[in-house]
Amino acid sequence: MNTFSRLTVTAGIAASSVLLLSVPAFAHVSVQPQGEAAKGGYATVNFKVPNERDSASTVKLEVNLPTEHPLSSVMPQPVPGWKAAVTKARLAKPLTVHGKQITEAVTKITWTSDGGKIAPGEFQQFPVSLGKLPEDTDSLVFKALQTYDNKEVVRWIEEPKEGAAEPENPAPVLTLSAATGDHHGGGAATDDKNAKGHQGGEHGDGGSESAAAASGSDTTARVLAVVGIAVGVAGVAFGVLAGRRRTS
């Protein structure tokens, strides 16, 4: 075997080793924000669930919410083929949100198959709107249980520790960013806009239509201007060519 062949084999073995070592990290149940999850605000997050088995499908997911940081607003987004159930519990210490007392909070969300499944080699995302996010912590831990159709249950409940190796079955962790000036994250800003739109009712529709009309007129004007410039350039080029032919 020549030197080139040896280098090729060595590189292939190294690449395969890296790939094998990196697969488990991508196969964990995880939670990722859609945009920003700022302290004191609201956010929409995705619980990403990959299938780690070759001969079984995932048919159930249970996500436990942190009881030490209860959330006053938890709303799962409908996922085709899955049924979501929310479990609530009474709070030992009520929360005050927007001037109102909240005496109970969601402690668990359970998604069960309603015709859907996560087959081998596939993953599924389960979106949830969360708030109000706490301001006295940098992260939230969501312990999860993943159930397969062969009755196997994988418990993603081990909390990662700073400076330590990643656990075998780490719990999904949502990292919170610094609080914004108005204490609203991306999700809250969207909710506020939607709320204002609903409150405006029929009065808001005319403004929306006017804005849409103005936007359409502006776009049309820009298109016509570009077309006019293109025609002008083509005319100048044609005149130059014609002049050269007459000179010749």
Side-chain angles (χ1 to χ4, degrees):
M1 182 181 293
N2 58 33
T3 302
F4 178 77
S5 298
R6 290 176 180 173
L7 290 174
T8 302
V9 172
T10 302
I13 294 174
S16 300
S17 301
V18 170
L19 180 61
L20 289 173
L21 290 174
S22 63
V23 166
F26 289 101
H28 298 160
V29 172
S30 61
V31 58
Q32 303 155 340
Q34 294 182 12
E36 185 179 31
K39 297 178 182 179
Y42 293 75
T44 298
V45 302
N46 287 324
F47 288 95
K48 184 177 180 180
V49 184
N51 190 322
E52 292 187 309
R53 302 295 179 258
D54 295 327
S55 57
S57 297
T58 295
V59 292
K60 184 179 180 180
L61 173 69
E62 299 171 71
V63 174
N64 293 279
L65 280 68
T67 55
E68 66 276 16
H69 296 291
L71 302 171
S72 60
S73 175
V74 177
M75 296 183 292
Q77 179 177 318
V79 177
W82 295 84
K83 183 185 299 182
V86 173
T87 302
K88 295 183 178 181
R90 193 167 187 83
L91 296 174
K93 181 180 179 181
L95 298 174
T96 300
V97 181
H98 302 306
K100 294 183 179 180
Q101 286 256 317
I102 307 297
T103 59
E104 64 177 12
V106 175
T107 56
K108 182 170 70 173
I109 308 174
T110 303
W111 287 272
T112 53
S113 173
D114 189 24
K117 64 180 180 178
I118 308 174
E122 297 179 351
F123 76 91
Q124 177 66 56
Q125 295 192 109
F126 298 91
V128 180
S129 173
L130 301 175
K132 182 180 179 183
L133 299 176
E135 300 180 60
D136 57 350
T137 184
D138 294 327
S139 61
L140 293 175
V141 179
F142 299 87
K143 296 183 179 181
L145 276 66
Q146 180 179 9
T147 302
Y148 289 87
D149 56 9
N150 61 359
K151 308 303 181 183
E152 178 187 5
V153 178
V154 181
R155 300 168 63 83
W156 303 100
I157 61 173
E158 299 178 60
E159 297 189 31
K161 296 182 179 179
E162 187 176 355
E166 184 181 50
E168 183 178 355
N169 293 312
V173 177
L174 176 66
T175 301
L176 304 180
S177 60
T180 57
D182 58 0
H183 281 210
H184 285 80
T190 301
D191 292 342
D192 287 346
K193 290 179 180 179
N194 290 338
K196 290 179 180 178
H198 288 302
Q199 291 172 1
E202 62 214 22
H203 298 291
D205 293 341
S208 299
E209 292 175 359
S210 298
S215 176
S217 299
D218 184 59
T219 301
T220 303
R222 291 181 182 178
V223 171
L224 291 176
V226 171
V227 172
I229 292 172
V231 172
V233 171
V236 171
F238 179 80
V240 172
L241 290 174
R244 289 182 177 176
R245 289 175 180 174
R246 286 196 297 269
T247 303
S248 300

